[in-house]
Amino acid sequence: MADLLNDRAAALATNSADWHDLHEELDRWAHMNRAATLWWRDDDAATATPALDRLLALADGTPLALAAIPAAASPTLAAAISARTAGGGGAVTVLQHGWAHANHAPDGSRKMELGTHRPTAAVLAELSAGCAKLADLCGAAFRAVLTPPWNRIADAVAARLGDIGFRGLSTLGPRRAAEPSPGVVQVNVHADLIDWRQGRRFAGTGTALGRIVAHLAARRTGAADPAEPTGILTHHLVQDEATDRFVARLLAATRARGGAGVRWVTVDEAFGLAP
């Protein structure tokens, strides 16, 4: 039976699922007296924009982690978050999205800011400066969790994150280890809702749900780390109405279950950070 479930999870990862598949999977968690944990990361925040305001309104109480680009971050970002949370908008936290979202890889290679194309000391110095800037701008909303641009980071850089004060790392796909370096917890995202190769538009309901259901099933059956929350990834600056509608329906569908088989968690819960 486990092999069959794993085969189905693998199929859904590359094919599609529907809302019935999602509810069936969450029912399985509920029947085991377990709650599938979900978390939400949105990349490329920098300043207050109408797109950011729409995202914050869409969250409406659901924990949301904004991965902000330090080099471009402005005080308006913190102001937008404060205005929304002051009105009861729920837990909104800020993570660090590299330094400047600049590609340093040579032409023809996969884009990468935090690679070995420069001295590791220089990369770490930028990250440290970015951490200090976001902590100053965002105060209590900031968490020392790094989300590398393009979800790529060299092992040599990752191994040193704890030395410069980071406590978390988030990339894409099932994590290989809960702690890639001492004192640094890794919690990834697993369902990017944007199709970057087809005009930066919504990946589609079937694809998005397939990615979510596949990771949930893999966790439940032990094919992936059961303790890693399933991460949803959005990008508010390129998000279209179809993406917004999907997120709204996903939030409504999970909330309607009243905690049966599913629960959205904060960054503090996901990464085991002290409040």
Side-chain angles (χ1 to χ4, degrees), residues 5 98-99 111 114 117 131 142 167 170 190 192 272:
L5 290 172
W99 163 247
K111 292 181 178 180
L114 308 180
H117 314 95
C131 190
F142 177 63
R167 299 182 61 193
S170 181
H190 310 89
D192 188 344

Side-chain angles (χ1 to χ4, degrees), residues 91-107:
V92 179
T93 50
V94 175
L95 314 182
Q96 182 172 339
H97 200 37
W99 163 247
H101 211 303
N103 176 34
H104 295 285
D107 291 343

Side-chain angles (χ1 to χ4, degrees), residues 4 25 35 57 65 69 88 109 155 161 177 194 205 233 254:
L4 290 175
E25 178 59 32
I69 304 170
S109 300
D155 289 342
L161 292 179
I194 303 299
T205 297
L233 177 60
T254 51

Side-chain angles (χ1 to χ4, degrees), residues 40 42 51-66 84-85 88-93 234 239 244 247-248 251-252 255 264:
W40 182 3
D42 182 272
L52 178 62
D53 192 57
R54 287 196 302 273
L55 182 81
L56 295 172
L58 185 61
D60 189 27
T62 301
L64 170 64
L66 297 175
R84 175 61 59 179
T85 54
V92 179
T93 50
T234 58
Q239 214 154 285
D244 285 350
V247 173
L251 295 177
R255 289 169 181 163
W264 290 89

Side-chain angles (χ1 to χ4, degrees), residues 190-206:
H190 310 89
D192 188 344
L193 302 189
I194 303 299
D195 187 336
W196 297 98
R197 297 180 179 180
Q198 300 293 328
R200 296 185 174 189
R201 59 191 180 193
F202 180 43
T205 297

